[in-house]
Amino acid sequence: MAGTGGEGRGLFHRITGGVTERVVDLVDPDIVLDQVDVDALVARIDADALLARIDMNALLARVDLNALLDRVEMDPLLDRVDPDRLLARVDVAALVSRIDPDELMSRLDPNALLDRVDMNALLARVDMNSLLDHVDMNTLLDHVDLNALLAKVDVEALLAPVDLEALVRRSGVPELVAESTNQLAGSAIDLVRRQLVALDVVIDRIVSRLLRRDPDTQPVGPPLLLVTEPAPAAGPRLTVSGHYAGPVTRAAAAALDVAIITTSYTLGIAGLGFLAGVFLGTTFDDLNDNGPIAVGALAVWAFLYSFGSHAVAGRTLGKGIVGLRVVGRDGSPLSVRRAFVRTLAFPLSALVFGIGYLMVLVQREHRALHDLIAGTASVYDWGERSAEIPGPLSAFLARQSG
């Protein structure tokens, strides 16, 4: 019976299976689905119960995320995202609290980040004044190692594009140095000049006493110079600008001129001899010895030096160094005619043991013989600075006058 029953059920299954297959083959699924009320079907499904029975881990384990993302079109998806609503729902505090800064910085490539930064645009948006207002410069400088900073500075490269010459010119350093040098040199020269003037005053006082003259009644200078000379400023030194020059200063000027004439003559003859030897094959031996030709050439050079200097500037180089100037007897500028006559008459002062020069000691206006012949006089003239007597002697003269 059992075997009969088993055979019967097997036969039944075969028959029903065949019929089912036949029916499925004959049934059109589309027609069947058209007859199904999907809404009513879905309404009868208990979604919570359905999801409760789904093993999400097993489901996600079977999902190929890469394949899924490959099939997602991101642009339309992002277009449908409302960033404001999305950010409004983000708990920033909770998000930041879950960030590990160390791990984040370790995964950050600063070089790549900086490559993507537009520094010009970034700096354009920075308010430098506001930024500097917040900087504590003292604290900042306390943290700066100046030695290390300067050690890394390439001074040569830093100064390479700098026009130092133009910078120095604009700073006024050359003018300052020149002015300081001129003042220093002028002060040193003026110191020597004051000592010469002091000797002139002392000798003049001694000669006046020997000749029984009152020093306060002696003429001090040409009338025109005394009228035009401004009153000296109050100070420790008396001014003698425009006053007749004394014997010591004039002797110093003459000594300097003699040295300048002989030195320049010697150098000139040596230079001419060298050039003549190179180009002409001869020498100026006659001008190098002590014969008449050499003496005559030296005298001509001395005449040209003295006449040219007085005619052009009213003084020679030696007179300019000690601070003297030759003027007309009344103080007018020296004319060319007077300069010529004075130069011609100059040797006459050397006759008869130099009595013409010694007249400077005893003559009231300290004029030598050649000054009397040419109608000239030598006066103190230090250019833009006032000719002065040293302070102690000035004080002594002031007490004597008082």
Side-chain angles (χ1 to χ4, degrees):
M1 290 295 294
T4 302
E7 292 178 359
R9 283 194 299 273
L11 177 62
F12 178 74
H13 287 164
R14 287 197 295 272
I15 293 174
T16 56
V19 172
T20 301
E21 292 177 0
R22 184 67 176 175
V23 171
V24 170
D25 291 337
L26 293 175
V27 174
D28 185 353
D30 295 331
I31 296 174
V32 175
L33 292 174
D34 288 340
Q35 299 296 320
V36 175
D37 186 353
V38 178
D39 294 333
L41 180 62
V42 171
R44 297 181 65 181
I45 295 175
D46 185 353
D48 294 333
L50 179 62
L51 291 175
R53 300 183 64 180
I54 293 175
D55 186 352
M56 296 302 295
N57 293 329
L59 178 62
L60 292 175
R62 301 183 63 182
V63 174
D64 186 350
L65 294 177
N66 294 328
L68 178 62
L69 292 174
D70 290 340
R71 300 183 64 180
V72 175
E73 189 173 352
M74 298 303 295
D75 292 337
L77 178 62
L78 293 175
D79 291 339
R80 299 183 64 180
V81 174
D82 185 351
D84 295 332
R85 294 182 61 188
L86 178 62
L87 292 174
R89 299 183 65 179
V90 173
D91 187 349
V92 178
L95 179 63
V96 171
S97 64
R98 300 182 64 181
I99 295 176
D100 185 353
D102 295 333
E103 183 179 356
L104 177 63
M105 295 302 296
S106 65
R107 300 182 64 179
L108 183 65
D109 185 354
N111 295 327
L113 179 63
L114 291 174
D115 289 340
R116 300 184 64 179
V117 174
D118 185 350
M119 298 302 296
N120 294 328
L122 178 63
L123 292 175
R125 300 183 65 180
V126 174
D127 185 353
M128 298 302 297
N129 294 328
S130 177
L131 180 62
L132 292 175
D133 289 340
H134 287 79
V135 175
D136 186 348
M137 297 303 296
N138 294 328
T139 304
L140 178 63
L141 292 176
D142 289 340
H143 287 79
V144 175
D145 186 350
L146 293 178
N147 294 328
L149 179 63
L150 293 175
K152 299 180 70 174
V153 175
D154 186 348
V155 178
E156 294 182 359
L158 182 64
L159 295 177
V162 178
D163 188 348
L164 293 178
E165 183 177 355
L167 183 62
V168 170
R169 285 198 303 269
R170 294 183 63 183
S171 67
V173 172
E175 292 79 4
L176 182 62
V177 172
E179 183 178 356
S180 301
T181 303
N182 291 335
Q183 290 180 353
L184 181 62
S187 299
I189 293 175
D190 288 352
L191 178 62
V192 176
R193 290 171 175 174
R194 281 194 290 270
Q195 306 313 311
L196 295 175
V197 173
L199 292 175
D200 288 338
V201 172
V202 171
I203 291 176
D204 184 51
R205 290 268 171 168
I206 294 174
V207 171
S208 296
R209 287 185 178 276
L210 293 176
L211 298 177
R212 299 180 182 278
R213 294 174 182 169
D214 184 0
D216 295 331
T217 63
Q218 300 299 310
V220 295
L224 292 180
L225 294 182
L226 296 180
V227 172
T228 58
E229 184 69 21
R237 303 188 185 101
L238 296 177
T239 180
V240 292
S241 294
H243 292 197
Y244 292 118
V248 177
T249 303
R250 294 191 63 173
L256 287 173
D257 283 331
V258 170
I260 292 170
I261 290 171
T262 54
T263 301
S264 59
Y265 174 81
T266 302
L267 293 177
I269 293 302
L272 289 175
F274 174 76
L275 294 176
V278 172
F279 296 103
L280 303 177
T282 185
T283 59
F284 294 106
D285 293 333
D286 294 337
L287 299 178
N288 290 325
D289 56 22
N290 296 323
I293 295 178
V295 174
L298 179 59
V300 171
W301 168 240
F303 176 84
L304 293 176
Y305 167 81
S306 179
F307 169 65
S309 299
H310 285 103
V312 173
R315 70 181 84 195
T316 59
L317 183 57
K319 288 183 174 66
I321 293 174
V322 298
L324 296 182
R325 180 164 61 95
V326 179
V327 297
R329 181 178 180 180
D330 59 353
S332 60
L334 183 66
S335 65
V336 176
R337 184 184 68 82
R338 290 183 184 277
F340 183 77
V341 174
R342 187 179 189 277
T343 305
L344 284 179
F346 188 84
L348 298 177
S349 296
L351 298 177
V352 190
F353 305 106
I355 293 178
Y357 297 132
L358 295 177
M359 291 178 62
V360 175
L361 286 170
V362 298
Q363 210 274 335
R364 291 178 180 272
E365 298 172 348
H366 302 297
R367 299 167 67 198
L369 178 61
H370 53 277
D371 287 315
L372 296 173
I373 294 174
T376 60
S378 293
V379 297
Y380 297 111
D381 184 350
W382 294 4
E384 297 179 353
R385 299 184 296 278
S386 296
E388 299 173 336
I389 300 176
L393 183 57
S394 297
F396 172 77
L397 295 176
R399 289 195 299 271
Q400 292 294 318
S401 299

